[in-house]
């Protein structure tokens, strides 16, 4: 009887181990599938994180922009929403460095709130990372032409956390 009990306990342990391993595999597969889904729903962008930033952007939404280049009117204030994976590091502060790029000439953009921290309710934890929003002002002195918006966010120590670039078309 004792031998049978040990045998069944070993089988139960093996089943639990396989179940635990499969759970991790399913969870990882689910996370990967969800990130793929987000990337399909996101506005297309160039992620410059691989070369200069710590985290990757999973999703980007620019108010009133569904196709590229994003058409932006002068004197407009446009909300930008970003979802990024902070690898569980608890990011709570983002200092933005956003530039308009026209014919290789970079011009600083006005962002609000900047910095994004706990005082402005602009950065929030999500089940799959962090999400934040900021408003960008499309200055009336920008040229009416195609270019890009280069967006970098840094932490308190000036370390690049995220970076993305989006083609834009400035209009009157």
């Amino acid at each position: 009887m004792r031998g049978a009990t040990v045998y069944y306990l070993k089988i139960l342990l093996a089943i639990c181990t396989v179940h635990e391993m499969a759970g991790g595999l399913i969870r990882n597969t689910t996370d990967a599938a969800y990130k793929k889904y987000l990337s399909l729903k996101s506005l297309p962008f160039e992620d410059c994180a691989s070369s200069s930033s710590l985290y990757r952007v999973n999703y980007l939404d620019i108010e009133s922009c569904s196709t590229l280049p994003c058409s932006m009117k002068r004197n407009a204030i446009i909300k930008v929403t970003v979802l990024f994976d902070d690898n569980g590091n608890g990011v709570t502060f983002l200092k933005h460095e956003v530039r308009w790029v026209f014919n290789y000439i970079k011009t600083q953009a006005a962002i609000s709130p900047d910095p994004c921290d706990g005082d402005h309710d602009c950065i929030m934890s999500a089940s799959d990372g962090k999400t934040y929003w900021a408003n960008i002002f499309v200055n009336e002195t920008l040229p009416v032409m195609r270019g890009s918006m280069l967006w970098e966010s840094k932490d308190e120590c000036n370390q690049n956390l995220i970076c993305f670039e989006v083609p834009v078309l400035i209009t009157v």
Side-chain angles (χ1 to χ4, degrees):
M1 182 73 168
R2 182 169 181 230
T5 303
V6 169
Y7 174 75
Y8 287 118
L9 285 174
K10 286 181 179 180
I11 290 176
L12 182 59
L13 178 61
I15 290 171
C16 290
T17 302
V18 168
H19 183 272
E20 186 176 309
M21 289 170 52
L25 179 62
I26 290 169
R27 187 170 29 263
N28 289 341
T29 303
T30 303
D31 289 347
Y34 182 67
K35 287 179 181 176
K36 180 65 175 173
Y37 171 76
L38 280 177
S39 71
L40 293 172
K41 299 298 274 178
S42 175
L43 182 68
F45 61 92
E46 181 182 332
D47 189 350
C48 35
S50 60
S51 62
S52 64
S53 300
L54 190 58
Y55 306 125
R56 294 187 53 82
V57 174
N58 294 327
Y59 176 82
L60 172 65
D61 179 64
I62 298 176
E63 186 177 65
S64 73
C65 177
S66 58
T67 60
L68 298 180
C70 287
S71 183
M72 298 183 172
K73 290 186 178 187
R74 287 176 168 175
N75 278 335
I77 296 174
I78 297 173
K79 184 176 183 178
V80 176
T81 305
V82 177
L83 176 69
F84 68 99
D85 187 354
D86 71 346
N87 301 327
N89 290 332
V91 173
T92 58
F93 178 95
L94 294 171
K95 173 74 177 149
H96 305 294
E97 287 188 14
V98 183
R99 292 175 296 283
W100 302 108
V101 183
F102 300 102
N103 294 330
Y104 303 104
I105 298 172
K106 296 178 181 178
T107 304
Q108 196 69 31
I111 304 297
S112 176
D114 192 29
C116 175
D117 57 20
D119 295 337
H120 297 97
D121 292 326
C122 51
I123 188 167
M124 295 160 272
S125 292
S127 61
D128 46 2
K130 294 287 183 174
T131 183
Y132 78 86
W133 64 267
N135 292 318
I136 185 167
F137 177 65
V138 185
N139 192 312
E140 66 184 15
T141 61
L142 290 175
V144 176
M145 65 184 301
R146 287 179 184 255
S148 65
M149 178 179 67
L150 177 62
W151 193 297
E152 294 179 291
S153 295
K154 301 179 179 217
D155 65 10
E156 299 94 331
C157 300
N158 214 32
Q159 179 180 14
N160 287 339
L161 298 181
I162 61 173
C163 178
F164 61 89
E165 189 167 7
V166 178
V168 296
L169 172 63
I170 304 300
T171 61
V172 180

